[in-house]
Structure formats: C-alpha cells, structure tokens
C-alpha cells in the first residue's frame, strides 16, 4: 500500500519567485540568464500587440544557427586544437541528443569550459576516471558524474591528468555521441564550425520560429510591487505562472460546463485584451541570444504602449545533465527546468524559476 501511495503522489516541484528592477545595481537578471546553459525553447507574449516591431522581428529571425553532429568521438572535445579554437575564443555549448538522462550516458560542455559526463555504472568504471555518484540514482548508485575543466586541462597538456583522460577517451573506453553544438563568438567566420567537424556528419540548423496572434485573451491584472497579489486588486505571481502555462498550451480559459478537457479559468481580477502576440523559438539557443532578446523586450516600453507587461519564458532541455550553473539535473517524471520574466512598463520585473523533483532549489 505504501508503494501504491507513492506512485499516486505528484512529484515535488519548486517555483521560486522574486522581483527587482532592471536598473538596480544588484539585479540578478543577467547572471540568471547566462548560467542557464542549455535552452531549447524561448517564448514571449505581448498583450495588446498585433504586429512585432522591425527591431524585435529582426532579432527573432536572426537568433543564430546551431549544429548537429553524429557519432562524434568524445576525445575530440579535449584536444588542444579544439580548446584553442572554440572554448578559449567564445562561448561554446554542446549537449548530447537522442539520449535520456535517467537511462543513457549523456554529456554536456558548458560555456565556462566544464565538460560534464553523466554515465551509467559500467561505463563509469570502464573509463577509469574519478567522479562522484549521482544525487538522483537512489540508494544503490547506478549513475555517476564526472566533471572535467578544459580550461585548467589546457594549461599543461603534458600533465599526468591530461594524458590519463586522453588515454581513457581514445583507448580505454572510446565513447561516441550525437551532439548539438552552438558557439557565440566575435570576429570569426561562421563556417569555422562546419569546416572543423567536416570529417563527421555535421549539419547546420536554424531555430524554428512560430508567430501567432491570440484573440480576445483574458489576462490577469498584475501589480509589479506585489508578488503575493491583493484580493480583488491584483493576481499573485503563482496564479500568473499557472495562467501563462495554460496560454502556451492553447487551453480554453473560460471553464465552460461542457469542456471535459480543462476546467481552468483565468484568475481574478482580470481584463480582456483584444489581441496578444505570441512568439515561440525552438532549437539550441545560447544564453547570450536570450539576454539580447530580454534587453529588446525591456526597450519595448521606451515608447508608450497599451500593454502593462510582457513575458519572456525559457525552457531547458529535459535531458541535460545540468540545469543552472553546474547543478546536477535529473528527469524523474518531467525533467522540467525553466524560468520566466514578467517585464513591467516601469522596468520592474518578476523572475519565476521552476524545477522538478530531481533538482536543487533554483539559484
């Protein structure tokens, strides 16, 4: 019976909300964006808007390419040439795809030069490298995490440590993965990525962009000064977060008696807007691109607008080995890790960060 009860229980979820102003010296918005490394979907919602400005549309359409490469040997990511070409000359991200974090071996290269390996017990032991048990593998450790600092490793390529890692990846336990790759840099041709990995199956991709207009949308009334909301005056941050998720799912928000799919309705107080613009970008999206988009949304209110706020929502890859910074991430039942900015017309903002059961509290 105890086991049955556990199966019926909803898994733990965490939502952290905070408020600040983009002009404050201690505002954390830039740091939070930059340290959420592996993003697959970015969405923004603008009430009382039917058409994007030229600046915003240009930014969305030029979010930048990413690449997929098949059967890439892991040792390629620790060579002196690779580190000097990509890791030291920009912000390089890599993530295995078509892998499940709770079942398969997965790898991520972070923009700070850390190579993170999440390996099953057999593979971990065969590599001969030092790591630690996964926090989410249960009492009997079946998953292990190895962290390698490529920047530190590159300082001495004749060291015993580098030779051991290189021997492990090349000879003792050669590992190959399908990777997604992205690189933020300045002053270097885009073709560098394609030419460097030309001997492997590499393809360039552009993020998919979906633009739509939501008609007659019931929107919660918000006050930037109060996360908790006020009865009959303004909705809370938690109520707004639930409502935004329903909008993204295209759920009906009127709680009609004949609707057997959703009984959800917009929290009160609310206001009807004639239209709202919704944009969704899907791909392998770098934090630097998201930060530029956030800044552009802040400038949306440089001229008077009918909209009291806009939102920017970012979702991470469910099977990434990390969520924020180098904090271990697990899948459990959903693998969610995401954040949302509510940008108000006075430059105040709410920041909402959500994770699932196999994550630390968001930073």
């Amino acid at each position: 019976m105890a086991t049955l009860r556990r199966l019926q229980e909803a898994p733990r979820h965490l939502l952290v909300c905070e408020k600040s102003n983009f002009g404050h010296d201690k505002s954390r918005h830039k740091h939070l964006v930059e340290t959420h490394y592996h993003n697959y979907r970015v969405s923004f919602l603008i009430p009382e808007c039917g058409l994007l400005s030229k600046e915003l549309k240009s930014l969305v359409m030029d979010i930048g390419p990413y690449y997929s490469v098949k059967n890439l040997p892991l040792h390629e990511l620790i060579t002196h040439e690779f580190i000097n070409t990509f890791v030291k000359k920009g912000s390089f991200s890599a993530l295995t795809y078509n892998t499940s974090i709770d079942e398969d071996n997965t790898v991520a290269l972070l923009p700070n030069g850390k190579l993170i390996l999440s390996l099953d017990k057999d593979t971990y032991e065969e590599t001969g490298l030092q790591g630690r048990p996964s926090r989410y593998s249960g009492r009997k450790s079946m998953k292990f995490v190895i962290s390698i600092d490529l920047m530190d490793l590159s300082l001495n390529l004749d060291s015993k440590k580098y030779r051991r890692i290189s021997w492990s990846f090349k000879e003792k336990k050669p590992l190959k993965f399908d990777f997604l790759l992205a690189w933020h840099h300045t002053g270097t041709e885009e073709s560098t990525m394609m030419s460097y990995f030309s001997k492997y199956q590499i393809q360039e991709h552009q993020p998919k962009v979906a633009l739509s207009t939501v008609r007659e949308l019931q929107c919660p009334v918000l006050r930037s000064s109060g996360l908790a909301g006020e009865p009959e005056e303004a909705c809370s941050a938690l109520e707004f977060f639930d409502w935004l998720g329903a909008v993204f799912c295209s759920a009906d928000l009127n709680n009609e008696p004949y609707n057997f799919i959703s009984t959800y309705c917009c929290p009160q107080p609310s206001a009807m807007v004639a239209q709202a613009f919704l944009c969704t970008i899907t791909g392998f999206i770098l934090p630097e691109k998201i930060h530029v988009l956030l800044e552009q949304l802040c400038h949306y209110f440089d001229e008077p607008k009918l909209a009291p706020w806009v939102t920017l929502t970012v979702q991470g890859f469910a099977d990434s080995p990390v969520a924020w910074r180098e904090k271990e991430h697990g899948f459990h039942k959903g693998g969610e890790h995401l954040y949302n900015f509510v940008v108000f017309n006075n430059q105040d903002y709410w920041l909402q960060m959500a994770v699932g059961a196999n994550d630390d509290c968001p930073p």
Side-chain angles (χ1 to χ4, degrees):
M1 288 296 294
T3 301
L4 181 59
R5 281 198 301 270
R6 284 198 299 272
L7 289 173
Q8 292 174 338
E9 290 173 357
R12 183 211 71 171
H13 292 78
L14 286 176
L15 174 64
V16 176
C17 303
E18 61 183 58
K19 61 184 177 71
S20 185
N21 184 284
F22 289 107
H24 289 174
D25 292 337
K26 295 184 179 180
S27 174
R28 300 197 310 144
H29 67 278
K30 185 176 180 181
H31 176 70
L32 265 295
V33 171
E34 290 177 345
T35 54
H36 192 262
Y37 300 123
H38 301 125
N39 311 291
Y40 88 95
R41 180 172 293 164
V42 178
S43 305
F44 60 84
L45 179 71
I46 307 177
E48 301 290 6
C49 175
L51 190 67
L52 283 185
S53 65
K54 289 182 179 179
E55 295 81 7
L56 201 50
K57 187 171 184 179
S58 174
L59 183 59
V60 167
M61 295 303 178
D62 191 31
I63 207 76
Y66 66 98
Y67 305 84
S68 63
V69 58
K70 293 188 175 182
N71 293 317
L72 181 66
L74 192 55
H75 71 78
E76 289 281 10
L77 300 184
I78 65 166
T79 64
H80 179 67
E81 183 182 3
F82 172 80
I83 295 172
N84 282 341
T85 303
F86 295 104
V87 180
K88 290 185 176 181
K89 293 182 179 178
S91 175
F92 190 95
S93 289
L95 180 66
T96 49
Y97 72 102
N98 295 330
T99 56
S100 300
I101 186 66
D102 53 344
E103 297 177 349
D104 306 318
N105 297 320
T106 58
V107 177
L109 175 56
L110 313 185
N112 62 6
K114 296 289 180 65
L115 184 65
I116 309 295
L117 287 70
S118 176
L119 306 176
D120 61 49
K121 184 179 180 181
D122 290 341
T123 306
Y124 170 72
E125 291 176 347
E126 289 172 21
T127 64
L129 300 177
Q130 186 175 0
R132 60 173 177 79
S134 167
R135 295 183 57 188
Y136 308 116
S137 61
R139 294 179 183 176
K140 199 172 182 180
S141 297
M142 300 304 293
K143 293 279 286 186
F144 290 80
V145 177
I146 299 172
S147 179
I148 301 170
D149 189 338
L150 298 186
M151 300 296 280
D152 178 63
L153 209 61
S154 68
L155 296 176
N156 185 3
L157 298 180
D158 293 323
S159 67
K160 182 179 178 181
K161 181 179 180 180
Y162 179 81
R163 291 199 302 269
R164 181 173 181 82
I165 294 172
S166 182
W167 167 74
S168 174
F169 290 169
K170 277 187 175 182
E171 301 178 33
K172 192 172 191 299
K173 184 60 178 177
L175 295 171
K176 293 183 179 181
F177 297 94
D178 295 344
F179 277 99
L180 296 177
L181 311 173
W183 187 34
H184 178 74
H185 55 92
T186 56
T188 309
E189 295 181 6
E190 290 284 353
S191 60
T192 302
M193 186 86 78
M194 293 292 288
S195 60
Y196 187 88
F197 295 105
S198 59
K199 62 182 178 181
Y200 300 102
Q201 291 179 272
I202 184 168
Q203 286 185 300
E204 180 179 314
H205 305 272
Q206 293 295 332
K208 295 180 180 179
V209 178
L211 307 175
S212 62
T213 301
V214 185
R215 307 285 180 184
E216 297 184 347
L217 180 63
Q218 200 80 23
C219 294
V221 172
L222 305 179
R223 284 188 178 174
S224 64
S225 58
L227 287 170
E230 299 176 29
E232 300 183 5
E233 295 287 336
C235 296
S236 69
L238 177 57
E239 290 174 320
F240 181 81
F241 192 76
D242 287 341
W243 171 85
L244 190 61
V247 172
F248 288 159
C249 293
S250 301
D252 291 329
L253 305 179
N254 48 21
N255 191 21
E256 295 289 349
Y258 57 78
N259 191 333
F260 298 101
I261 298 176
S262 171
T263 58
Y264 184 80
C265 59
C266 181
Q268 298 299 319
S270 65
M272 179 71 74
V273 301
Q275 58 187 358
F277 196 90
L278 176 60
C279 173
T280 300
I281 309 163
T282 306
F284 189 37
I285 306 164
L286 289 169
E288 290 83 1
K289 301 292 185 179
I290 296 171
H291 183 250
V292 173
L293 182 56
L294 177 61
E295 285 189 328
Q296 189 62 48
L297 287 172
C298 292
H299 287 300
Y300 180 76
F301 294 110
D302 287 352
E303 297 179 2
K305 297 290 192 305
L306 290 174
W309 46 259
V310 301
T311 69
L312 176 70
T313 309
V314 180
Q315 294 171 267
F317 282 87
D319 290 296
S320 169
V322 296
W324 272 277
R325 300 200 292 265
E326 295 162 41
K327 291 188 175 183
E328 185 182 354
H329 168 70
F331 187 87
H332 192 53
K333 292 186 179 181
E336 58 275 359
H337 56 108
L338 63 138
Y339 63 89
N340 177 63
F341 281 97
V342 184
V343 181
F344 293 93
N345 55 14
N346 61 354
Q347 294 300 294
D348 284 349
Y349 70 83
W350 290 355
L351 173 60
Q352 301 166 310
M353 298 168 285
V355 294
N358 285 0
D359 282 280
D360 280 340
C361 184

